Amino acid sequence: DTAVSQTPKYLVTQMGNDKSIKCEQNLGHDTMYWYKQDSKKFLKIMFSYNNKELIINETVPNRFSPKSPDKAHLNLHINSLELGDSAVYFCASSLGQGAQGGELFFGEGSRLTVL
Amino acid sequence: SQQGEEDPQALSIQEGENATMNCSYKTSINNLQWYRQNSGRGLVHLILIRSNEREKHSGRLRVTLDTSKKSSSLLITASRAADTASYFCATDNYGQNFVFGPGTRLSVLP
């Protein structure tokens, strides 16, 4: 069974479109994250949710809106896509928040290409 | 700026050799983690070392932590072609979210 699964794996879309990425974890973790990995492999946190509540929002444009319907799911909706949004987006989860939360479990990534 | 910085950016070695990667960070931490990322895949946790620990082993992996120098190293002994991947260190940002360095790309040649 996949621990952290995200869909779709690939998205190719035009500038200005809206797209969503879904993430689910079956580990019973309380905390979930969205990370963005750019073409140079830099991995930067975007959002963190703990038990459905937003904990971290790292100055991400308003076009990005996360939504956590329950603690096992964290989705990411992106409006008005721009060329610079092209990246690989990773969902991750951990037992708890911050340093005491232990290791992060990552999904396989969703590669977004904006044309 | 990134909390952790790995060094070197890229490393190429022969199978059977040891590979050493370093990570430097800027602020106080509670713990430091190392992750591996195979091409086109997600990150996989390798090892966590707490701030009060100096060394930790897991199979062919050895991690050291020097909090006075704010640095850590990851040693992979007797490397194999399957170890080819990018390796990242992650440090907790004042106990909050984990911040990743830019990674070291390791190539193990058969």
Side-chain angles (χ1 to χ4, degrees):
Chain A
D1 270 351
T2 306
V4 181
S5 58
Q6 50 183 113
T7 55
K9 192 170 172 65
Y10 299 98
L11 299 101
V12 180
T13 189
Q14 300 285 333
M15 267 175 53
N17 284 350
D18 303 339
K19 286 293 175 188
S20 292
I21 308 171
K22 294 186 175 182
C23 179
E24 176 182 4
Q25 54 96 2
N26 63 6
L27 297 166
H29 287 169
D30 282 342
T31 308
M32 294 186 73
Y33 311 81
W34 279 110
Y35 279 86
K36 178 181 179 181
Q37 188 173 45
D38 63 21
S39 57
K40 295 184 178 177
K41 298 286 191 182
F42 278 96
L43 199 67
K44 189 172 179 188
I45 190 165
M46 299 173 68
F47 300 103
S48 169
Y49 270 73
N50 187 67
N51 209 1
K52 303 192 299 176
E53 286 191 27
L54 179 66
I55 302 298
I56 293 170
N57 180 345
E58 285 288 316
T59 60
V60 176
N62 291 339
R63 299 182 296 103
F64 290 79
S65 51
K67 192 165 282 187
S68 182
D70 55 61
K71 74 173 194 177
H73 295 84
L74 180 61
N75 304 322
L76 183 65
H77 186 76
I78 315 170
N79 290 325
S80 304
L81 279 157
E82 300 177 357
L83 293 176
D85 298 332
S86 294
V88 182
Y89 292 84
F90 285 98
C91 177
S93 72
S94 62
L95 268 173
Q97 305 178 54
Q100 309 311 319
E103 65 182 272
L104 300 175
F105 290 77
F106 282 83
E108 290 293 285
S110 297
R111 180 176 292 277
L112 171 65
T113 303
V114 182
L115 304 174
Chain B
S1 63
Q2 295 290 118
Q3 159 76 315
E5 296 272 345
E6 292 91 346
D7 167 56
Q9 288 187 351
L11 179 61
S12 189
I13 60 173
Q14 295 293 132
E15 214 166 15
E17 293 180 341
N18 294 343
T20 300
M21 288 158 268
N22 302 298
C23 170
S24 59
Y25 57 92
K26 294 172 184 165
T27 64
S28 296
I29 61 170
N30 292 291
N31 61 62
L32 182 146
Q33 303 184 33
W34 283 92
Y35 289 79
R36 182 188 74 228
Q37 183 181 31
N38 289 88
S39 181
R41 307 295 299 272
L43 281 77
V44 174
H45 180 263
L46 294 175
I47 201 162
L48 180 152
I49 186 165
R50 301 190 192 286
S51 59
N52 61 354
E53 297 175 311
R54 291 297 164 255
E55 190 170 309
K56 209 160 180 183
H57 296 255
S58 176
R60 293 184 296 111
L61 305 181
R62 175 180 164 244
V63 167
T64 62
L65 178 64
D66 187 336
T67 51
S68 66
K69 294 181 180 176
K70 291 187 168 59
S71 68
S72 172
S73 68
L74 170 66
L75 167 68
I76 305 174
T77 59
S79 62
R80 304 165 182 169
D83 295 327
T84 294
S86 291
Y87 291 82
F88 296 86
C89 70
T91 51
D92 61 276
N93 185 22
Y94 296 105
Q96 300 299 312
N97 57 289
F98 279 95
V99 179
F100 287 80
T104 292
R105 276 190 293 278
L106 173 66
S107 298
V108 181
L109 307 172

